[in-house]
Amino acid sequence: MVDYHAANNQPSAGGAQSYMVQENDWDRDLLLDPAWEKQQRKTFTAWCNSHLRKAGTQIENIEEDFRDGLKLMLLLEVISGERLPKPERGKMRVHKINNVNKALDFIASKGVKLVSIGAEEIVDGNVKMTLGMIWTIILRFAIQDISVEETSAKEGLLLWCQRKTAPYKNVNVQNFHISWKDGLAFNALIHRHRPDLIDYDSLRKDDPVTNLNNAFEVAEKHLDIPKMLDAEDIVNTARPDEKAIMTYVSSFYHAFSGAQKAETAANRICKVLAVNQENEQMMEDYEKLASDLLEWIRRTIPWLEDRTQEKTVNDMQAKQEDFRDYRCVHKPPKVQEKCQLEISFNTLQTKLRLSNRPAFMPSEGRMVSDINGAWHTLEGAEKGYEEWILSEIRRLERLEHLAEKFHQKAAIHESWTDGKEAMLKQKDYETSTLSEVKALLRKHEAFESDLAAHQDRVEQIAAIAQELNELDYYDSASVNTRCQKICDQWDLLGTLTQSRKESLERTEKQLETIDELYLEYAKRAAPFNNWMEGAMEDLQDMFIVHNIEEIQGLITAHEQFKSTLAEANKEREAIQSIQAEVQKIAQSNGIKLSGANPYTTITPSSIDSKWEKAMTMVPQRDSALQEELNKQNSNDSLRAKFATQANTVGAYIQEKMEEIGRISIEMNGTLEDQLTNLKDYQKNIMSYMPEINKLEGFHQLIQEALIFDNQYTPYTMEHLRVGWEQLLTTIARTINEVENQILTRDAKGISQEQLYEYRASFNHFDKDHSGALQAEEFKACLISLGYDVENDKQKRSGQMVSDDFRALLISTGNSLGEGEFARIMSIVDPNNSGAVTFQAFIDFMSRETTDTDTADQVIASFKILAGDKNYITAEELRRELPPDQAEYCIARMAPYAGPDGVPGALDYMSFSTALYGESDL
C-alpha cells in the first residue's frame, strides 16, 4: 500500500496546502457512524454523478464502481478539465492498483495530502477509505476555492450561508449539521437568489420533511442540483453528517456563483461610494468652516480699521482693553480653526489622491491661500490698530498735560493782569506834587520792567495754544478764545503803558527828587518778585516722564534750583535791608512816611510771604519727584519681569521649533508609534501654555503702566505670539503628515519597510533639512531607489528594478530621461515651485507601485449587477446595494439615453467616470 501521507509529495507552487488541509478523521481502525455513512454514500454518489453524466456515465455503488480506477480517473478529468495519464485496460489487480495510483498522484499534484489512503484499499472496496478519498476530492475541487473575506474554505462557505440567510426568520446557520435539519436554510438560500421558485412565507418550521423535500425538488428541477440527501434521513438523525451537508451546500454555492459575482461587484461599488460620500462630507465641512472663518475676519477687520478718535486717555484705554480682550479671548479659537482648516484640507486632498479622485477645489474665495491672505490682512490691521491706540494714548496724554499747563499759566497771567488796565488809565499825576509825579514815573518804569518780564509767559501761553491746535485738541475752541483774550488784553496793556509813560515824561521836569532807596528797593524787588513767582510756577509745573533717565534729569534740575536758594535768600535779605534803611533814615531825619513805597506795590511782607510759600513748595516738589522716581523704578521692575519671562518663552519656542525640525527628519519606530509620540509631544508643548498666559499678564501690566519700550529684551509680545502660533501650527502639521502617511500606507498597501526606505532616501538628499527636495535632489532620490522611468514596460507594470540594476544606475550616475522626468515633476510639483515635499513623494511612489480601483473596474462591477446591460434600474440598485448607498446612486445617476433602455433606466457608466473626475455627473 502506498502511503500518501509522506509521499507525492510537496504542495504545488500555489501553496494550496496552506488553506486546504484534509481533516484527519479517516482512521482505518475506527468505524464510520452508520447514519453518517448512509448520508455520505448518497451525497457523494449524487455529487460524482452530477459530474460523470457530463461524460455520459454514472456510478451505482461508490465503493465498487471506483475499484478499477477508470471512472475515478474520468471523474478527475471532468472536474479538473485536465487530461490524466492513459489508464491501463487490464483486469488484473495490478492494473487496477496502477490506475487508482494515477488518480491519487493527480490529486496529490494539486497540493493535497492524502492521509492514510492507499490504492490497495480503494481496489479492495474499503468503504471508509473510498468515502474519505471522495471527500478529499470534493474539498479540493468543490470547496477549496470558496473564501469570503480571506477565511478558510469551510469558514468561507459558512459565512456565505450566514450572510445570504440573515434576513430570513427562523433561520440561524451556525454549522453544517443541525442548523439545516428543519429545511428552512435550504429554502432561504434558493429564495434569496431565485424568489420566483420558493414561497418562503408558506413554510412552517415544524414541518421539516416538507421543507427539505421542497428545497431538494426545486433545486433538482430548476437549478440542476441533483438530490443528494433524503429528507427523512436528515430529520431522523440527531446530527446530520457535516460532510454530506457541506457537499450539498457547496453545490448551491456554485449554482449561484453568478450571484456571488454580483455580490462582489456590489461590495466594490459600496466601497467606492463610501469613499465618495465621506469626501463630499469633508468638502462640505471645509466650505462651512472656511466661510465662517472668512465671515469672522470680514466682520473683524472694519473694527480694527476704525480710527475714530476719543477725547480722553480713559476713553482710549477702554478701547485698548477691548483690543486686549479680542487678542486673548476671541482670536485664539480662530487660530485653532485656521490650523484645523488647513489640516482638513490636506487630509482631504490626500484621501482624494489615494482613491484616484480629482483634487478638491474649494469654491471661489475659499482656498487655503485665500484664508491665509485674509488672515494676513487681519494681522496687518491688528498691528496698525494697536500702534494707533498707543500713539493716540500718547497724543491724548500730551494734550491733557498741555491743556492743564495752558490753563495754569493763563490763570497766573490773568491774576497778574487783574487791575492793571484800571491802574494804567489813572490820571493821578495831574494833581500830584513834583515829587509824587517823579515817584509815579519811577513806579511806571518798574511796571514796565514787570510787564517785560511777563512777555515770556504770554508767548508761552500762545505757543501752548498753537501746539494744542496742531495736535487737534478737542476743546481747542475754548483754548483759542481764552488765548485771544489774553493777547488782546496784553496788546491793550502795552498801549496803555506807552500812553501813561508819555504822560509822566511830560511832567518829569517837574519832579525834583526821588527817594533813591525806594527806587533801588523797587528795582531789586521787582525782578526778585518775578524770580519767586517763576520759581513757584516751576515748582508747580506739571511733568510727564517715561523712564528713569527722564525723572532723574528733573531731579537733577530741581537740585540745581535748590542750590541757588542760599544766594536768593541773600538777595531777599539785601532787599529787605533797603526797606530797613528807609525806616532808619526817616527816623533819624524825622521824616514822616506818607505810606507805602511809591515806586512799587511789592511790599517786604509780600516778599517774605512768597518766600515762605516757595520754601513750602520745595519739599512738595521733592516728594512729587521722588514719587515719580518710585513709579519709574516700579515700571523698570515690570520691564525686567516681562523681559525675564519673554527671554525664557522665546528660548523655549526656538528650542521646540528646532526639536520639531529634527523630529520631522529623524522619525523612528512605526508610524503609529511616531503619531503617539508626536501627540504626547504636542500635549507637552500645550502644558507650557500657563507660561504664555503668565507672560500675557506681565504684558498687560506693562501696557496699563503705559510703558512703551524695554531695553532688557529683544522680544515683543507680538513676536512671541506669532512664534507660539507657528509652533502649535508646525506640530499640528507634523502630526497631520504622519496621519496622511498612515492613510497612504493603509490605502495603498505600502509596508512599513518601504516607508522607512522612502523616508531614509528622502532625508539623505534633503541636505538643507528644509522638508523638500529640489528637482535635481529628487531625481537623485529616484535613482537611488532604483526607479527606471526609461523602461516603459517596467513602469507600466509598477515594479522597481533589480538590486543589480539599481547598483548599476547609482555607480554610472545614470540620469532619468528628461521627458519622463518632466512628466514626473508635473505630478509631484503641479504648481511648478521647483520643490517636492515628502507627502508628494510617497504619493507618487505608492501610485506608481500599487493597484487601485479605477473607473473601468467600477463600470465592470455595475455591469455585473445589471446583468450585462448598459443600464441599471433603481430596483436592481436597491436589491444589490445597502439602502443608503443605493439611494445615493439613484439620486446622482442620469437617465439612460441609449436606444435599448427602458423607462426609469439609469446611466451607470457616466456616473462611474464622474466618480474619478473624468466627466460631470
Side-chain angles (χ1 to χ4, degrees):
M1 180 184 70
V2 179
D3 185 358
Y4 279 88
H5 182 68
N8 285 345
N9 316 7
Q10 301 300 322
S12 65
Q17 180 187 1
S18 62
Y19 54 84
M20 189 62 229
V21 178
Q22 180 177 348
E23 298 180 21
N24 189 17
D25 59 357
W26 300 101
D27 192 327
R28 62 171 54 250
D29 296 326
L30 296 179
L31 296 176
L32 189 64
D33 180 271
W36 288 3
E37 179 181 336
K38 179 182 178 183
Q39 292 173 15
Q40 287 184 15
R41 278 175 176 272
K42 181 173 182 60
T43 302
F44 291 178
T45 299
W47 184 86
C48 292
N49 285 335
S50 69
H51 294 285
L52 286 173
R53 69 185 179 186
K54 299 175 185 177
T57 186
Q58 62 180 11
I59 61 173
E60 298 294 337
N61 189 315
I62 196 167
E63 72 269 23
E64 291 295 331
D65 293 348
F66 285 139
R67 291 178 62 184
D68 60 2
L70 296 177
K71 288 187 177 181
L72 178 59
M73 293 179 68
L74 181 60
L75 174 66
L76 291 173
E77 286 185 343
V78 171
I79 62 177
S80 69
E82 301 179 24
R83 296 290 295 178
L84 271 68
K86 186 176 181 180
E88 298 181 14
R89 295 296 179 177
K91 300 295 184 178
M92 298 177 64
R93 177 180 174 81
V94 66
H95 298 142
K96 297 179 181 180
I97 290 175
N98 288 341
N99 287 338
V100 173
N101 272 329
K102 290 177 181 179
L104 296 180
D105 287 342
F106 179 78
I107 296 171
S109 72
K110 298 302 180 181
V112 179
K113 283 189 176 182
L114 298 170
V115 180
S116 303
I117 298 176
E120 290 86 345
E121 294 170 311
I122 304 302
V123 172
D124 291 339
N126 186 309
V127 177
K128 180 175 180 294
M129 291 299 123
T130 302
L131 292 176
M133 177 190 67
I134 298 303
W135 172 241
T136 299
I137 293 172
I138 293 171
L139 279 176
R140 173 60 183 84
F141 293 100
I143 301 178
Q144 171 181 302
D145 294 333
I146 300 175
S147 178
V148 179
E149 295 185 356
E150 300 182 0
T151 60
S152 67
K154 178 180 178 181
E155 292 170 343
L157 183 59
L158 183 63
L159 181 58
W160 178 80
C161 294
Q162 290 170 338
R163 287 184 174 179
K164 295 301 181 181
T165 61
Y168 293 88
K169 64 180 181 180
N170 296 325
V171 177
N172 183 18
V173 177
Q174 297 296 325
N175 48 56
F176 285 111
H177 35 81
I178 61 175
S179 294
W180 303 82
K181 285 188 67 174
D182 59 11
L184 292 178
F186 284 106
N187 283 278
L189 280 181
I190 298 173
H191 184 269
R192 178 61 184 269
H193 297 91
R194 291 291 303 276
D196 56 309
L197 301 179
I198 296 287
D199 182 8
Y200 185 83
D201 293 333
S202 67
L203 302 177
R204 302 198 333 266
K205 185 175 179 65
D206 59 358
D207 190 5
V209 173
T210 299
N211 296 340
L212 289 167
N213 284 329
N214 181 66
F216 297 164
E217 290 169 3
V218 169
E220 186 170 34
K221 181 178 180 181
H222 298 283
L223 302 178
D224 198 26
I225 299 175
K227 185 176 181 181
M228 298 184 181
L229 289 170
D230 290 326
E232 291 77 5
D233 291 341
I234 296 177
V235 173
N236 296 328
T237 305
R239 172 173 165 163
D241 180 65
E242 186 175 54
K243 296 177 178 60
I245 299 294
M246 281 183 65
T247 302
Y248 211 163
V249 172
S250 70
S251 297
F252 283 86
Y253 176 88
H254 291 294
F256 297 132
S257 60
Q260 185 68 22
K261 291 180 182 178
E263 181 178 357
T264 302
N267 289 337
R268 177 185 291 273
I269 292 171
C270 289
K271 175 183 175 184
V272 172
L273 294 179
V275 170
N276 235 52
Q277 290 171 308
E278 182 181 1
N279 291 343
E280 287 181 0
Q281 185 60 50
M282 291 186 68
M283 293 175 190
E284 292 176 6
D285 294 343
Y286 173 90
E287 290 281 350
K288 183 178 185 306
L289 185 57
S291 297
D292 292 346
L293 185 58
L294 285 170
E295 175 61 19
W296 178 81
I297 294 173
R298 185 191 66 76
R299 294 196 313 269
T300 304
I301 288 178
W303 175 68
L304 293 172
E305 291 177 343
D306 181 17
R307 297 295 186 268
T308 303
Q309 294 181 338
E310 300 293 341
K311 295 180 178 181
T312 67
V313 172
N314 288 338
D315 292 339
M316 285 306 299
Q317 286 177 334
K319 280 194 172 184
Q320 186 182 42
E321 187 63 31
D322 290 342
F323 180 71
R324 184 179 296 115
D325 185 66
Y326 156 79
R327 291 297 297 269
C328 297
V329 177
H330 299 291
K331 185 185 177 186
K334 299 303 177 182
V335 173
Q336 293 297 322
E337 288 181 14
K338 177 178 175 292
C339 180
Q340 184 59 45
L341 190 71
E342 185 175 341
I343 289 174
S344 298
F345 181 83
N346 292 338
T347 300
L348 175 58
Q349 298 295 37
T350 298
K351 287 188 174 183
L352 290 172
R353 287 195 303 271
L354 295 178
S355 57
N356 285 337
R357 282 7 177 229
F360 169 54
M361 288 297 293
S363 56
E364 184 176 357
R366 293 181 176 84
M367 291 288 291
V368 172
S369 58
D370 297 324
I371 304 297
N372 290 334
W375 193 264
H376 180 72
T377 302
L378 175 73
E379 291 183 331
E382 280 182 14
K383 186 174 185 297
Y385 188 68
E386 187 172 31
E387 291 174 351
W388 174 74
I389 287 177
L390 294 177
S391 67
E392 277 296 289
I393 290 176
R394 292 178 183 175
R395 183 182 71 83
L396 291 174
E397 188 180 51
R398 172 69 175 162
L399 283 176
E400 290 182 2
H401 171 69
L402 286 174
E404 189 171 352
K405 191 170 185 178
F406 170 83
H407 290 300
Q408 184 185 65
K409 287 184 176 293
I412 294 172
H413 177 76
E414 290 166 348
S415 176
W416 178 83
T417 59
D418 185 39
K420 295 294 189 296
E421 183 178 341
M423 182 270 291
L424 290 172
K425 290 180 179 180
Q426 289 179 359
K427 295 187 178 181
D428 52 342
Y429 53 84
E430 294 179 349
T431 59
S432 298
T433 64
L434 184 61
S435 60
E436 290 173 340
V437 170
K438 287 185 177 289
L440 289 174
L441 184 59
R442 299 297 182 270
K443 182 179 179 181
H444 188 72
E445 290 175 355
F447 173 77
E448 284 182 322
S449 176
D450 198 10
L451 186 68
H454 281 78
Q455 178 68 33
D456 288 340
R457 181 181 293 118
V458 175
E459 292 175 356
Q460 290 175 6
I461 290 172
I464 293 173
Q466 179 63 29
E467 187 172 359
L468 286 171
N469 280 297
E470 292 173 354
L471 293 176
D472 196 21
Y473 181 53
Y474 77 95
D475 199 19
S476 294
S478 64
V479 169
N480 291 337
T481 300
R482 190 172 187 180
C483 181
Q484 188 62 47
K485 182 179 178 181
I486 290 172
C487 292
D488 292 344
Q489 185 187 41
W490 185 254
D491 292 339
L492 179 59
L493 287 177
T495 301
L496 292 174
T497 299
Q498 182 62 29
S499 176
R500 183 172 177 80
K501 182 179 181 181
E502 291 173 354
S503 297
L504 290 174
E505 286 178 347
R506 284 195 301 269
T507 61
E508 185 178 11
K509 295 178 183 179
Q510 303 169 5
L511 301 179
E512 296 179 342
T513 187
I514 188 171
D515 192 336
E516 293 295 333
L517 290 175
Y518 269 13
L519 182 59
E520 182 181 0
Y521 175 88
K523 288 183 177 179
R524 295 181 67 174
F528 184 75
N529 186 65
N530 287 336
W531 176 85
M532 285 196 298
E533 289 181 348
M536 287 189 291
E537 185 176 345
D538 290 342
L539 288 171
Q540 298 177 82
D541 188 27
M542 301 295 295
F543 58 84
I544 180 170
V545 296
H546 298 94
N547 54 53
I548 293 177
E549 289 75 14
E550 291 179 1
I551 187 60
Q552 287 177 339
L554 291 178
I555 292 174
T556 300
H558 183 60
E559 292 300 323
Q560 290 175 350
F561 165 75
K562 290 197 295 184
S563 68
T564 65
L565 292 179
E567 188 66 27
N569 191 41
K570 289 181 181 179
E571 177 65 11
R572 182 185 67 82
E573 291 174 349
I575 292 172
Q576 297 292 48
S577 68
I578 294 174
Q579 181 65 23
E581 185 66 19
V582 170
Q583 297 293 338
K584 181 180 179 181
I585 293 174
Q587 291 176 3
S588 62
N589 293 285
I591 299 174
K592 185 178 181 180
L593 298 177
S594 60
N597 190 325
Y599 303 118
T600 182
T601 59
I602 303 172
T603 65
S605 61
S606 69
I607 290 178
D608 287 342
S609 176
K610 289 182 179 180
W611 178 261
E612 291 174 1
K613 185 176 181 181
M615 291 305 99
T616 61
M617 290 180 179
V618 170
Q620 292 175 359
R621 184 72 169 182
D622 286 336
S623 177
L625 292 173
Q626 185 60 44
E627 183 180 348
E628 183 63 29
L629 178 61
N630 293 339
K631 176 184 175 183
Q632 292 303 323
N633 282 329
S634 175
N635 288 352
D636 209 49
S637 176
L638 286 177
R639 289 187 182 95
K641 287 181 180 179
F642 175 83
T644 300
Q645 184 69 5
N647 292 337
T648 301
V649 171
Y652 176 86
I653 292 175
Q654 180 65 29
E655 175 188 350
K656 295 304 176 184
M657 287 295 289
E658 293 174 357
E659 286 183 5
I660 293 174
R662 291 195 299 271
I663 290 172
S664 64
I665 293 174
E666 300 171 359
M667 292 290 192
N668 296 316
T670 66
L671 290 176
E672 284 75 10
D673 292 342
Q674 295 173 22
L675 184 60
T676 299
N677 293 336
L678 282 171
K679 288 185 176 179
D680 291 343
Y681 189 80
Q682 185 183 44
K683 290 180 181 177
N684 178 263
I685 289 177
M686 291 305 297
S687 69
Y688 196 73
M689 192 64 193
E691 298 299 318
I692 303 296
N693 294 335
K694 180 179 178 183
L695 183 64
E696 287 283 3
F698 288 150
H699 180 62
Q700 180 173 348
L701 295 176
I702 286 283
Q703 287 195 328
E704 290 173 351
L706 300 178
I707 299 172
F708 304 110
D709 59 348
N710 195 334
Q711 69 273 29
Y712 300 124
T713 179
Y715 295 108
T716 65
M717 194 65 233
E718 181 65 24
H719 180 198
L720 293 175
R721 286 188 190 118
V722 172
W724 179 251
E725 291 173 4
Q726 288 177 344
L727 177 61
L728 297 182
T729 301
T730 300
I731 185 62
R733 286 174 177 168
T734 304
I735 289 173
N736 183 241
E737 179 183 342
V738 175
E739 291 173 338
N740 286 342
Q741 290 181 33
I742 292 175
L743 283 174
T744 302
R745 180 198 66 190
D746 294 343
K748 298 297 186 178
I750 299 176
S751 68
Q752 190 72 41
E753 290 73 18
Q754 283 179 299
L755 280 177
Y756 279 142
E757 182 180 7
Y758 294 162
R759 170 58 78 180
S761 299
F762 188 91
N763 288 344
H764 174 76
F765 290 99
D766 184 14
K767 303 298 184 182
D768 57 358
H769 305 301
S770 63
L773 299 181
Q774 299 303 310
E776 290 303 317
E777 293 174 337
F778 176 60
K779 181 186 292 186
C781 183
L782 286 180
I783 293 175
S784 73
L785 288 170
Y787 189 83
D788 181 17
V789 298
E790 295 183 358
N791 187 340
D792 290 340
K793 179 178 179 181
Q794 176 180 286
K795 176 172 69 64
R796 289 193 299 271
S797 68
Q799 300 297 319
M800 305 299 273
V801 298
S802 67
D803 291 339
D804 293 339
F805 188 57
R806 178 190 299 183
L808 178 61
L809 283 172
I810 297 173
S811 65
T812 59
N814 185 19
S815 62
L816 302 177
E818 291 303 323
E820 180 61 17
F821 184 68
R823 180 192 72 83
I824 294 174
M825 285 299 295
S826 69
I827 295 173
V828 298
D829 182 24
N831 297 324
N832 296 321
S833 65
V836 181
T837 65
F838 180 68
Q839 187 61 46
F841 170 63
I842 61 173
D843 283 348
F844 169 74
M845 295 305 295
S846 63
R847 186 163 53 247
E848 293 290 310
T849 59
T850 59
D851 185 27
T852 58
D853 290 327
T854 65
D856 289 341
Q857 290 174 325
V858 174
I859 290 173
S861 298
F862 272 118
K863 197 174 187 69
I864 292 173
L865 299 186
D868 278 341
K869 301 189 300 293
N870 292 327
Y871 60 86
I872 194 168
T873 66
E875 180 183 356
E876 289 170 331
L877 287 170
R878 291 190 177 103
R879 186 180 69 228
E880 299 295 343
L881 299 179
D884 61 327
Q885 295 188 334
E887 298 306 323
Y888 178 85
C889 293
I890 294 169
R892 287 163 173 76
M893 283 186 181
Y896 178 69
D900 56 339
V902 298
L906 301 173
D907 185 355
Y908 63 78
M909 292 187 181
S910 61
F911 172 77
S912 300
T913 55
L915 290 176
Y916 292 85
E918 298 176 18
S919 67
D920 294 329
L921 279 174

